[in-house]
Amino acid sequence: MAVALMLAACGKDPEQKMAQADHQAAAAGFTPPSVTSRLDFGGMMERRFHTLDRDGDGVIDRTEMPRNNSRLVALDRNRDGKITATEFSEGTLAWFDRMDLNRDGTVTSEERETYRRNPQPAPTPTGSVIPVP
């Protein structure tokens, strides 16, 4: 009984306070800042590749694309209709590098938002431009 009175006197428990703070932040449209390293991004993209490669054959073909007009098609460098693990890894890391505006090996939420507003195409070895995925 005494413990219940002491807890009641303290107000909301920490979980309730956290839930209320999350609700208030969401209501205000607040998204906490984030920082992603190139290494972490590469790991996330490797897991994404294996998730998309549903048949486990080491390539993502058109039947495994999330949708018909997927931006992933731009990663298919040799245009054979399949995205290999190498094409996927190199393409997504190049995308990360374009988002890393200050070239420090990390992408902050601010850099990501700036890139979304003004995406930069990727240069190719021949000097032509690959469309932004």
Side-chain angles (χ1 to χ4, degrees):
M1 180 75 163
V3 172
L5 288 173
M6 286 175 38
L7 288 176
C10 292
K12 297 179 181 175
D13 68 46
E15 287 182 21
Q16 286 177 326
K17 288 180 182 178
M18 192 75 122
Q20 182 180 10
D22 288 345
H23 176 72
Q24 289 170 342
F30 175 75
T31 303
S34 68
V35 177
T36 304
S37 73
R38 194 172 195 272
L39 183 64
D40 289 339
F41 183 82
M44 288 185 295
M45 292 300 101
E46 182 177 349
R47 288 188 296 278
R48 178 75 173 141
F49 177 85
H50 291 295
T51 298
L52 291 170
D53 180 20
R54 291 187 299 268
D55 61 9
D57 66 352
V59 296
I60 300 169
D61 62 30
R62 295 198 187 279
T63 66
E64 294 170 312
M65 294 284 177
R67 31 182 205 283
N68 288 338
N69 63 349
S70 177
R71 295 180 294 169
L72 294 176
V73 173
L75 301 178
D76 182 12
R77 289 190 314 238
N78 63 0
R79 304 294 181 233
D80 66 352
K82 298 176 182 176
I83 301 169
T84 65
T86 300
E87 288 173 321
F88 190 86
S89 176
E90 290 175 357
T92 56
L93 287 175
W95 179 42
F96 177 92
D97 292 341
R98 288 191 306 277
M99 287 190 295
D100 184 9
L101 301 177
N102 65 359
R103 306 292 181 243
D104 68 350
T106 63
V107 172
T108 64
S109 49
E110 291 85 7
E111 287 174 308
R112 194 171 28 259
E113 189 57 36
T114 299
Y115 178 81
R116 283 182 184 149
R117 286 192 306 267
N118 187 22
Q120 301 299 309
T124 65
T126 61
S128 60
V129 173
I130 296 174
V132 175

